[in-house]
Amino acid sequence: MKAADQHARIHAIPSGFSRRHLLGIEGLSASEITYLLDLADSYVDLNRQINKKLDRLKGRTLINLFFEPSTRTQSSFELAGKRLSADVMNMTVHTSAVNKGETLIDTAMTLNAMRPDLLVVRHSASGAVQLLSEKVDCSVINAGDGAHEHPTQALLDALTIRRHFDRLDGLTIAICGDILHSRVARSNIYLLNRMGARVRIIAPPTLLPPEPERFGVEVFHNMREGIRDCDIVMMLRLQSERMTGSLIPSTREYFHYYGLDREKLSLARDGVRVMHPGPMNRGVEIDSAIADDRAVSLIHDQVEMGVAVRMAVMDALSAHLRNDLSKEI
Amino acid sequence: MLVPDPEQIAYVNARLIDPASGLDAPGAVVTLGGEIQAVGPNLFPEGVPDDFKMIDCAGHVLCPGLIDMRVFVGEPGAEHQETLATASQAAAAGGVTTIIVMPNTAPVIDDVSLVDFIKRRSRDTALINVHPMAALTKGLNGEELTEMGLLREAGAVGFTDGRRSVTNSRLMRNALAYASNFDAVVVHHAEDPTLAENGAMNEGELAARLGLNGVPSAAETIMVHRDLALVELTGARYHLSQVSCAAALKAVEKAKADGLNVTCAVSAHHLCLNENDVGEYRTFFKTNPPLRAENDRHAMVEGLASGAIDVVVSSHDPQAPENKRLPFADAAPGTVGLETLLIATLEQYHAGHMDLITALKSLTSSPADILGFPVGRLKPGAPADMLLFDVDRPTVVDSAQLKSKSKNTPFDGRRFQGRVLRTIVGGKTVFEDDQSDARPN
């Protein structure tokens, strides 16, 4: 099926996704997630064509507002916006320690006055994106807020898995690493649980939130046990500031017990695939021999799916933007 | 029926006491190589066969060798005060067959290579079993966790900062949580250092009269309460290295009743001595925690009798004369204790505060259970680490006769009852009493 035909089919479904913002995965229904994944699937095909451009956001303004530096996520959003013909502006704001809340709202009001249609926001404080969304008139996409959520990452991970295994339900997926501080882990847990996968989390007790089983996951402290019979091993990045000191003693010990190497991976199911949201700390959470092995690693697919998923999210939100194009003269 | 073997030794005519099983009966033990092969009252109904090597225990107590969970040595770094070899000789003379050495050395035992060093030096120079505890925090600085997983794999039997307290509560929480990952016991010296700062002895009337800064028992109680709250949060295994005051013991008792995985130890000198023994600034009675008030000492004895206190330790802490011949406030705390651990504990039995099996349990099976060791029991298959002692024989402590390199005992000249006759490690006798001061009864 041609990409354009697929769009026609998917857009024919009324209110597949009728929200104004995408702030998180928690609270999304399975049908909303499926709708976004189906739409993203069609954009994967588009992105593999020579002409990758559609007019769906023509005339729209997209602002990437990043309060935390990011290269890959920001460029992924930028490319997604451009492929849908939006005018894209990148803003990286260096937050000062004082008066963060005030600055955030001031910035939001300033930007709002410029009348953007879509605002992509990343912030180091959990809940900051939602706070901002309450102050602006446009649609807001959460590109990561603190240790809360990173919904487009979870969607792109799900799309990667679904394209490889043709399903999400019934798969056993282990998320391993710094769960405590990870927004990627939280969004993935919500999404995978919602879609019927069996989710395990693997981490030392110091890198887990209290009562982690309340997330509806199986909790393992021993990676060898946790990885057993898994279809997917999803590694998380260990933030450098946590590498030495009070949460784990050293990268050497961390790799010994929680680094993914061939020996530990051999305990997983045949056909297991490895994922990582990037950027990787080679030799800390993952052995290069695995990261670079295209036979088991889906890491590059994740990056490709990222653009398609972000296009799908922008597309879905644009259907509900104020000043709907059809009402214009 | 036992098959004779040249490696077999029969210890006959003994009063067998095995606290783990509650056994206290006349009988015999047969060892084969390094293991106990048989234990019981009726091993030789038809007499001991001629081809057995036999040791006649003459009705004395044969029990598991003692385990001392808190021993400081000077190796590496202060070999003039104590080496692993001299500590092991002192231990053997005191009936102690396993010691746990603290990481407070120079350098600190906070790295796999240093655990290896202790194990290798012990293997080559020590008469008895030596197991290192590794530091809970790097350099004992209370700021960064050590590599507990790798240290444990290397042979560290637990984690402690020895005589230092971890003041940072967040770090203590993480340390407990991280240790629980490896089911490792965290052993903590509980003392709020801000309350104990410059303190030389127990806070009270005597300290006031002597003009010395006191350490209130609240310094211990506060830290114990904090630790127990963190144990509740993390579910970790926690051992209070030394309890010294009634209020802290009460907190531990409550935590145990609440089902927390908590144990505690008392030092032998806190069972026998109180703050008044400091007398005229006698620095051999300067300890950490300090000798407390008499009602606290009573609480310790009662706690041991009731089982609220699990373990008795020597807290063996050798100090050279230059560290003790100083004004009281400047002197180093610490007492040697390996050679008096048994008799100081037996004092509580002879005074009628507890039965013999309870006293011995705190020195054998209780510490073995906390450490997960197979020793500390008279049982077929267990390591043949045993102690033969005369429970009643009077003994006068003579510091000059101590095997320890340092002589800083608070018990010099004190009269006790009880004498170690033979110490057996891995089936081999490593100490035998020379009966030099034996007097006809």
Side-chain angles (χ1 to χ4, degrees):
Chain A
M1 202 185 316
K2 279 197 158 179
D5 297 337
Q6 275 192 21
H7 287 294
R9 183 176 60 80
I10 292 163
H11 284 290
I13 305 164
S15 37
F17 189 87
S18 57
R19 293 168 191 267
R20 195 177 134 210
H21 308 299
L22 179 67
L23 299 177
I25 299 293
E26 195 182 17
L28 293 191
S29 67
S31 65
E32 285 174 307
I33 292 165
T34 303
Y35 174 82
L36 290 175
L37 294 180
D38 289 347
L39 189 54
D41 239 339
S42 70
Y43 280 120
V44 176
D45 299 337
L46 176 74
N47 287 336
R48 289 176 178 176
Q49 292 175 187
I50 292 168
N51 180 3
K52 301 173 176 65
K53 202 128 174 157
L54 282 184
D55 286 343
R56 294 199 60 81
L57 293 182
K58 190 164 187 181
R60 300 289 192 184
T61 303
L62 166 73
I63 299 182
N64 272 331
L65 180 58
F66 278 61
F67 293 90
E68 253 184 9
S70 153
T71 315
R72 37 179 77 211
T73 307
Q74 182 169 317
S75 35
S76 183
F77 273 107
E78 182 176 354
L79 200 54
K82 284 179 171 165
R83 291 211 173 139
L84 295 176
S85 304
D87 296 313
V88 181
M89 185 175 86
N90 290 321
M91 275 189 72
T92 303
V93 185
H94 298 286
T95 48
S96 68
V98 280
N99 291 335
K100 253 185 198 169
E102 209 178 7
T103 310
L104 175 66
I105 290 171
D106 286 349
T107 311
M109 297 314 289
T110 307
L111 288 174
N112 194 47
M114 298 179 191
R115 299 196 163 269
D117 300 286
L118 283 161
L119 205 51
V120 174
V121 187
R122 167 170 288 191
H123 200 282
S124 60
S126 304
V129 179
Q130 183 185 324
L131 176 65
L132 193 141
S133 75
E134 289 161 6
K135 304 289 174 190
V136 296
D137 300 318
C138 61
S139 282
V140 174
I141 301 171
N142 182 358
D145 64 323
H148 177 226
E149 282 236 42
H150 191 355
T152 56
Q153 179 73 43
L155 288 165
L156 75 88
D157 288 340
L159 184 62
T160 307
I161 298 169
R162 203 180 71 164
R163 286 178 68 96
H164 188 84
F165 288 90
D166 287 322
R167 66 195 169 105
L168 290 169
D169 62 304
L171 295 176
T172 303
I173 298 167
I175 305 176
C176 180
D178 183 0
I179 310 284
L180 178 63
H181 302 95
S182 176
R183 52 195 175 214
V184 175
R186 282 172 181 73
S187 290
N188 265 309
I189 290 168
Y190 296 136
L191 190 151
L192 295 169
N193 266 341
R194 176 68 79 205
M195 302 309 287
R198 289 182 55 192
V199 184
R200 300 175 177 181
I201 57 177
I202 306 170
T206 46
L207 294 180
L208 284 173
E211 300 187 58
E213 60 284 351
R214 298 294 287 266
F215 278 87
V217 295
E218 282 182 273
V219 182
F220 292 86
H221 299 310
N222 183 322
M223 189 168 181
R224 286 184 175 79
E225 288 167 18
I227 223 168
R228 201 173 292 279
D229 298 328
C230 276
D231 298 295
I232 294 272
V233 181
M234 209 180 257
M235 300 303 298
L236 297 175
R237 176 179 165 78
L238 190 66
Q239 303 288 329
S240 56
E241 60 269 29
R242 326 226 192 269
M243 284 191 196
T244 53
S246 74
L247 292 171
I248 56 159
S250 66
T251 53
R252 163 173 87 151
E253 176 150 317
Y254 187 80
F255 186 77
H256 184 77
Y257 292 103
Y258 298 100
L260 186 64
D261 56 18
R262 290 259 180 237
E263 188 259 320
K264 296 193 191 93
L265 191 63
S266 68
L267 299 167
R269 193 163 284 167
D270 284 343
V272 65
R273 288 295 178 272
V274 174
M275 300 171 74
H276 191 296
M280 288 178 280
N281 293 302
R282 292 164 181 268
V284 176
E285 70 253 357
I286 191 164
D287 191 337
S288 279
I290 289 174
D292 298 336
D293 183 354
R294 296 298 291 263
V296 294
S297 164
L298 296 178
I299 294 168
H300 291 282
D301 303 67
Q302 288 174 275
V303 178
E304 184 187 356
M305 296 309 127
V307 179
V309 153
R310 282 155 187 143
M311 290 167 78
V313 169
M314 291 172 187
D315 186 357
L317 292 176
S318 74
H320 310 285
L321 289 177
R322 68 196 168 93
N323 301 327
D324 194 303
L325 273 175
S326 61
K327 291 176 191 158
E328 239 168 281
I329 308 159
Chain B
M1 192 58 219
L2 292 165
V3 183
D5 185 295
E7 299 250 333
Q8 275 174 330
I9 303 173
Y11 298 81
V12 299
N13 193 19
R15 176 183 173 190
L16 302 178
I17 298 188
D18 179 38
S21 63
L23 174 75
D24 182 353
V29 170
V30 176
T31 63
L32 173 62
E35 281 188 1
I36 293 173
Q37 194 185 18
V39 180
N42 297 311
L43 290 188
F44 301 103
E46 288 150 29
V48 182
D50 290 342
D51 41 6
F52 265 90
K53 187 180 173 197
M54 193 182 78
I55 290 167
D56 185 350
C57 298
H60 293 304
V61 173
L62 185 66
C63 70
L66 310 187
I67 301 163
D68 190 340
M69 281 184 71
R70 187 172 171 86
V71 174
F72 295 90
V73 288
E75 188 171 351
E79 285 84 353
H80 64 291
Q81 299 194 132
E82 192 85 287
T83 61
L84 290 161
T86 58
S88 81
Q89 289 158 20
V96 178
T97 54
T98 298
I99 61 174
I100 311 302
V101 294
M102 296 291 108
N104 308 57
T105 48
V108 168
I109 310 302
D110 62 358
D111 190 89
V112 168
S113 61
L114 290 155
V115 171
D116 285 342
F117 171 81
I118 297 287
K119 291 187 67 174
R120 180 168 56 76
R121 289 292 292 165
S122 306
R123 182 197 65 201
D124 294 348
T125 68
L127 297 173
I128 58 146
N129 307 309
V130 177
H131 298 282
M133 265 196 196
L136 187 64
T137 68
K138 282 175 197 159
L140 309 173
N141 64 10
E143 288 163 15
E144 291 172 53
L145 302 180
T146 52
E147 296 172 324
M148 293 186 210
L150 299 175
L151 287 163
R152 194 163 162 80
E153 286 186 18
V157 298
F159 297 92
T160 181
D161 276 0
R163 52 173 88 87
R164 298 187 70 164
S165 293
V166 176
T167 49
N168 181 329
S169 302
R170 189 173 65 93
L171 187 82
M172 188 63 177
R173 176 200 184 161
N174 291 338
L176 287 164
Y178 197 76
S180 72
N181 202 18
F182 304 101
D183 195 33
V185 63
V186 171
V187 178
H188 196 222
H189 173 72
E191 181 181 73
D192 181 330
T194 57
L195 271 175
E197 199 175 3
N198 299 324
M201 65 175 293
N202 187 41
E203 186 170 288
E205 183 189 342
L206 186 63
R209 287 184 188 280
L210 291 173
L212 293 171
N213 283 324
V215 180
S217 21
E220 180 172 312
T221 313
I222 286 171
M223 199 54 104
V224 168
H225 276 286
R226 181 206 70 171
D227 286 353
L228 294 174
L230 295 177
V231 170
E232 190 169 10
L233 201 58
T234 57
R237 288 212 290 139
Y238 175 86
H239 176 77
L240 175 58
S241 65
Q242 279 174 285
V243 63
S244 72
C245 64
L249 179 58
K250 199 179 276 181
V252 172
E253 278 187 274
K254 185 180 176 302
K256 284 183 169 189
D258 291 347
L260 299 189
N261 208 336
V262 171
T263 52
C264 70
V266 66
S267 71
H269 47 266
H270 281 97
L271 293 172
C272 300
L273 306 170
N274 70 20
E275 58 183 341
N276 294 318
D277 288 299
V278 169
E280 296 288 311
Y281 304 102
R282 295 194 290 174
T283 57
F284 281 15
F285 293 83
K286 182 172 180 180
T287 62
N288 183 18
L291 297 172
R292 297 289 188 188
E294 178 62 3
N295 63 320
D296 289 316
R297 189 190 71 81
H298 267 293
M300 296 305 110
V301 174
E302 280 168 26
L304 185 62
S306 73
I309 295 176
D310 302 271
V311 172
V312 179
V313 294
S314 70
S315 206
H316 182 82
D317 194 352
Q319 296 291 341
E322 63 269 22
N323 299 340
K324 284 291 189 182
R325 279 190 209 129
L326 290 168
F328 195 87
D330 300 335
T335 68
V336 291
L338 278 167
E339 286 157 89
T340 50
L341 175 64
L342 175 68
I343 51 179
T345 308
L346 286 179
E347 189 178 75
Q348 311 313 317
Y349 156 70
H350 288 298
H353 298 307
M354 62 196 70
D355 53 25
L356 186 55
I357 204 163
T358 303
L360 291 176
K361 187 177 185 203
S362 68
L363 297 166
T364 56
S365 60
S366 286
D369 289 346
I370 292 167
L371 296 162
F373 286 176
V375 296
R377 53 211 75 214
L378 295 182
K379 192 173 82 173
D385 292 359
M386 299 187 294
L387 160 64
L388 179 67
F389 71 97
D390 180 336
V391 71
D392 292 320
R393 183 138 148 226
T395 303
V396 180
V397 177
D398 178 359
S399 66
Q401 298 297 316
L402 294 179
K403 310 269 190 215
S404 180
K405 258 194 185 183
S406 295
K407 313 296 182 191
N408 52 307
T409 174
F411 295 128
D412 190 29
R414 189 177 178 107
R415 286 151 199 279
F416 286 110
Q417 269 180 281
R419 187 171 178 111
V420 174
L421 301 176
R422 184 186 287 268
T423 306
I424 300 137
V425 176
K428 295 196 175 74
T429 294
V430 295
F431 173 81
E432 200 175 346
D433 183 33
D434 59 9
Q435 308 277 330
S436 59
D437 67 341
R439 273 169 276 179
N441 286 327

